[in-house]
């Protein structure tokens, strides 16, 4: 029994000894492997960090021949200036809100200025105060209400005596204007400037600084020579970053405000050169280094450039500049004393017989040049001095450069018959003021809509015009729209509740029975043209038409 226990103990002891030997052997192997791995890794790391075969880099010599962009920037840059303005706190009063005429024509000057403000605000997402009281791309830093307002724009020197061209909205309402030259010290606010003259119609201003030395100037180019696809450069102070140069091409010419609310005297060069807040008034340059435009506005929804910029053509700027430096310091434009409706439908031109071109007269200024010559509403002006008139813009372009007191021969159609008459050109400022003399009462009818035959054909209800409105508008008769069905023919034209219809397809409709008798003859596919007098219009009648569905 004792021998068996001894044998068992011997076997157990041998197993323990064997386990210890195995564990010891494994431990030695692990340690040896770790040491070997560390040695190899260290050797590899040392080799990896060895840069003895690297060649040091060298700064190359400067390129001897600059490109054309560089040459232009160096040549023109010294003549481009920063313009800083300060507007002192003023008491703000809110005038009575007057409803504008959605079909305003040539004579609607007050509404046009409001539309210009909206135009620039819309271009740069401005609110009621806009961007620097102009709203397009000047960098406006407005303090708390009642505090001073600071704005930054650009400009360029056109006369070595210190005459500078910029945008009107850059200096508009400014109490203090400072011009900073490229040679002025960093912290210098610049030279005090005074306004020589402004033209709100084109958004151009001329200012002047007095300095003892002759100043560098830009070269002015002929904007008519600029072609779509030409390279152009813009120089200015976007976001207060002076002497910033951007490049692009001429994207289009003769652009107007996309909404149709801008001045009829503004035909822009469109460019994709980056224009941002602070670029207003800076030059747009062609590849000869000549100014072909004044950077004025951009179209954006992000308060920054998206490649759709607009510049006033240099030919327009030159003509305006020459007027502003004259003894009168203002732009004098010719006028014949009429208003017209832009963008009329083809149905109107077909019904009134000028589908090949012409201008349908909406109103004639009492006592104005056209009235004295015998022109009447609904006449169609087809030519001036034998030159065909294509549309309203063509008419304005022909008449506005003419000097008041000069004469012109008008060719016009009346009831399909062509006639000629001589008219004496008037001052547009005076004819516009005379045209704005109508009542601006905001009264409107409250009568309930009355069903009638026009509901079925046009989707609108009409009634006889109250006598007091006929008297106030000085019209003999018509029917008043009291209700319009959404999505109807009348809604699409567009007509509005309160409009007064005096004619349908050249047939007078002074009473409700006569109106209904006239429209009863119309059928689907016919052209329909209404002569409409908005109840609060300051521009007389408008012409609205379309094809009856």
């Amino acid at each position: 029994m004792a021998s068996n226990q001894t044998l068992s103990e011997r076997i157990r002891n041998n197993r323990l000894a064997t386990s210890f030997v195995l564990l010891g052997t494994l431990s030695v192997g692990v340690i040896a492997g770790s040491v070997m791995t560390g040695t190899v890794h260290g050797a590899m790391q040392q080799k990896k960090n060895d840069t003895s075969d690297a060649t040091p880099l060298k700064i190359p010599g400067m390129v001897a021949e600059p490109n054309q962009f560089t040459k232009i920037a160096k040549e023109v840059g010294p003549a481009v200036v920063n313009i800083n303005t300060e507007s002192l706190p003023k008491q703000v009063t809110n005038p009575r809100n007057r409803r504008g005429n959605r079909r305003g024509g040539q004579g609607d000057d007050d509404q046009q200025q409001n539309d210009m403000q909206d135009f620039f605000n819309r271009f740069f997402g401005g609110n009621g105060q806009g961007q620097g009281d102009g709203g397009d791309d000047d960098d406006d830093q407005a303090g708390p209400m009642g505090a001073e307002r600071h704005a930054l724009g650009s400009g360029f020197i056109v006369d070595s005596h210190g005459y500078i061209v910029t945008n009107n909205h850059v200096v508009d309402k400014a109490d203090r204007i400072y011009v900073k030259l490229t040679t002025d010290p960093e912290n210098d606010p610049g030279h005090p400037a005074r306004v020589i003259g402004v033209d709100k119609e084109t958004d151009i201003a001329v200012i002047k600084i007095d300095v003892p030395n002759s100043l560098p100037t830009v070269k002015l180019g002929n904007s008519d020579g600029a072609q779509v696809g030409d390279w152009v450069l813009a120089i200015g102070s976007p976001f207060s970053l002076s002497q910033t140069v951007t490049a692009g091409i001429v994207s289009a010419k003769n652009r107007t405000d996309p909404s149709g609310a801008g001045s009829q005297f503004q035909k822009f060069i469109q460019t994709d050169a980056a224009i941002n807040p602070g670029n207003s008034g800076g030059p747009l340059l062609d590849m000869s280094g000549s100014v072909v435009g004044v950077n004025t506005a951009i179209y954006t929804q992000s308060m920054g450039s998206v490649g759709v910029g607009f510049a006033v053509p240099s030919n327009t700027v030159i003509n305006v500049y020459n007027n502003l430096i004259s003894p009168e310091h203002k732009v004098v434009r010719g006028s014949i004393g009429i208003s017209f409706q832009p963008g009329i439908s083809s149905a109107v031109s077909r019904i009134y017989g000028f589908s090949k071109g012409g201008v349908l007269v909406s109103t004639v200024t009492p006592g104005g040049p056209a009235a004295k010559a015998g022109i009447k509403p609904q006449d169609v002006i087809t030519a001036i001095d034998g030159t065909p008139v294509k549309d309203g813009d063509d008419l304005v372009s022909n008449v506005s450069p003419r000097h008041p007191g000069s004469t012109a021969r008008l060719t016009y159609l009346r009831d399909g018959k062509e006639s000629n008459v001589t008219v004496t050109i008037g001052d547009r400022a005076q004819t516009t003021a005379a045209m704005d003399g109508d009542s601006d009462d905001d009264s409107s009818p409250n009568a309930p809509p009355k069903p009638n035959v026009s509901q079925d054909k046009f989707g609108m209800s009409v009634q006889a015009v109250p006598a007091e409105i006929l008297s106030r508008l000085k019209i003999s008769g018509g029917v008043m729209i009291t209700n319009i069905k959404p999505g109807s023919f009348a809604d699409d034209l567009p007509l509005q509740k309160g409009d007064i219809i005096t004619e349908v397809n050249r047939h007078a409709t002074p009473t409700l029975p006569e109106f209904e008798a006239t429209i009863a003859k119309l059928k689907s596919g016919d052209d329909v043209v209404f002569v409409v007098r908005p109840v609060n219009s300051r521009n007389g009648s408008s012409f609205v038409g379309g094809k009856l569905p």
Side-chain angles (χ1 to χ4, degrees):
M1 189 69 180
S3 298
N4 290 338
Q5 290 178 345
T6 301
L7 180 60
S8 298
E9 290 176 357
R10 287 178 181 177
I11 293 174
R12 186 166 56 250
N13 290 337
N14 288 337
R15 288 178 178 174
L16 288 174
T18 301
S19 297
F20 284 128
V21 171
L22 289 173
L23 289 173
T25 302
L26 289 173
S27 298
V28 171
V30 170
I31 294 173
S34 299
V35 171
M36 292 178 65
T37 301
T39 302
V40 173
H41 179 73
M44 293 179 63
Q45 187 68 26
Q46 184 176 2
K47 185 176 181 180
K48 182 178 179 180
N49 291 334
D50 182 9
T51 58
S52 60
D53 58 346
T55 302
L57 298 177
K58 295 180 181 180
I59 298 176
M62 291 189 298
V63 178
E65 296 183 3
N67 60 36
Q68 189 65 15
F69 289 174
T70 305
K71 292 178 181 179
I72 294 172
K74 287 182 177 179
E75 291 175 0
V76 180
V80 180
V81 301
N82 294 4
I83 300 176
N84 295 278
T85 66
E86 297 178 2
S87 299
L88 301 178
K90 296 179 179 67
Q91 174 131 17
V92 180
T93 58
N94 293 322
R96 178 172 63 90
N97 183 32
R98 300 191 321 194
R99 295 186 299 180
N101 177 13
R102 72 185 186 281
R103 309 182 193 102
Q106 184 184 21
D108 198 1
D109 191 59
D110 289 339
Q111 181 64 32
Q112 191 175 80
Q113 294 302 328
N114 291 334
D115 288 341
M116 282 283 290
Q117 177 73 42
D118 294 340
F119 167 59
F120 288 123
N121 285 348
R122 184 168 51 258
F123 263 152
F124 233 93
N127 50 26
Q129 295 176 336
Q131 297 286 319
D133 293 320
D136 85 301
D137 63 328
D138 52 313
D139 190 4
D140 184 17
Q141 301 170 9
M145 186 173 294
E148 289 187 3
R149 293 170 59 87
H150 299 266
L152 174 69
S154 304
F156 51 92
I157 305 168
V158 295
D159 188 302
S160 61
H161 293 94
Y163 289 90
I164 297 167
V165 169
T166 186
N167 283 135
N168 172 62
H169 73 264
V170 171
V171 298
D172 187 33
K173 301 179 183 178
D175 294 293
R176 289 190 287 262
I177 303 171
Y178 298 96
V179 172
K180 190 170 184 178
L181 307 174
T182 56
T183 54
D184 290 336
E186 179 79 22
N187 297 323
D188 191 333
H191 305 268
R194 64 183 185 275
V195 175
I196 299 299
V198 303
D199 181 41
K200 294 183 177 181
E201 296 279 15
T202 56
D203 195 28
I204 295 298
V206 176
I207 62 176
K208 187 180 188 299
I209 59 174
D210 295 313
V211 293
N213 303 321
S214 179
L215 296 173
T217 63
V218 300
K219 295 183 300 181
L220 289 168
N222 188 325
S223 55
D224 287 345
Q227 300 296 317
V228 174
D230 284 350
W231 279 104
V232 286
L233 296 182
I235 305 180
S237 303
F239 304 109
S240 302
L241 301 171
S242 62
Q243 294 295 306
T244 295
V245 181
T246 57
I249 64 169
V250 173
S251 304
K253 296 180 66 177
N254 295 318
R255 287 292 197 212
T256 58
D257 168 18
S259 73
S263 168
Q264 59 192 321
F265 296 100
Q266 285 188 320
K267 304 296 179 186
F268 294 105
I269 295 174
Q270 181 182 330
T271 179
D272 65 349
I275 300 173
N276 286 291
N279 273 115
S280 280
L284 187 71
L285 306 153
D286 64 14
M287 287 298 96
S288 72
S290 300
V291 177
V292 293
V294 178
N295 299 321
T296 298
I298 69 172
Y299 191 86
T300 183
Q301 295 178 340
S302 63
M303 291 299 290
S305 175
V306 292
V308 185
F310 299 89
V312 179
S314 59
N315 289 8
T316 299
V317 176
I318 291 170
N319 291 330
V320 170
Y321 175 85
N322 291 336
N323 278 272
L324 295 181
I325 63 171
S326 69
E328 294 79 15
H329 299 301
K330 66 177 183 178
V331 178
V332 178
R333 294 184 172 90
S335 172
I336 59 175
I338 67 164
S339 71
F340 57 84
Q341 177 188 341
I344 59 176
S345 73
S346 57
V348 175
S349 61
R350 289 192 295 268
I351 287 293
Y352 282 83
F354 63 104
S355 57
K356 294 183 179 179
V359 176
L360 182 60
V361 177
S362 295
T363 59
V364 179
T365 304
K372 291 179 180 178
I375 298 296
K376 297 180 179 180
Q378 299 188 28
D379 285 348
V380 178
I381 298 174
T382 58
I384 302 178
D385 288 336
T387 302
V389 173
K390 181 174 57 177
D391 52 26
D393 287 341
D394 208 13
L395 175 66
V396 172
S397 297
N398 190 308
V399 173
S400 62
R402 297 174 183 255
H403 295 288
S406 62
T407 59
R409 183 169 57 90
L410 297 183
T411 303
Y412 67 97
L413 299 175
R414 180 179 296 166
D415 297 326
K417 297 179 181 179
E418 183 176 282
S419 300
N420 292 282
V421 68
T422 298
V423 61
T424 300
I425 303 298
D427 186 330
R428 184 175 183 273
Q430 297 176 3
T431 59
T432 299
M435 190 171 291
D436 286 343
D438 291 343
S439 168
D440 55 0
D441 182 11
D442 283 337
S443 61
S444 59
N446 294 316
K450 179 181 178 180
N452 46 54
V453 67
S454 63
Q455 280 186 332
D456 294 331
K457 285 187 178 288
F458 307 136
M460 66 181 184
S461 299
V462 298
Q463 67 172 32
V465 183
E468 64 272 15
I469 295 180
L470 291 175
S471 176
R472 175 166 61 82
L473 297 180
K474 298 178 182 179
I475 57 178
S476 58
V479 294
M480 177 177 286
I481 299 174
T482 57
N483 191 45
I484 293 179
K485 180 181 178 181
S488 64
F489 175 70
D491 190 36
D492 291 340
L493 283 180
L495 292 169
Q496 293 183 353
K497 182 178 178 179
D499 283 350
I500 298 172
I501 299 173
T502 59
E503 292 185 23
V504 179
N505 285 5
R506 308 193 72 170
H507 295 286
T509 56
T511 65
L512 183 58
E514 288 175 285
F515 173 78
E516 292 183 337
T518 300
I519 67 174
K521 303 173 184 177
L522 299 173
K523 60 184 183 299
S524 178
D526 286 348
D527 284 331
V528 182
V529 174
F530 299 103
V531 177
V532 180
R533 180 69 180 266
V535 71
N536 297 306
S537 169
R538 302 179 65 187
N539 288 298
S541 298
S542 298
F543 303 86
V544 180
K547 190 178 291 293
L548 192 63

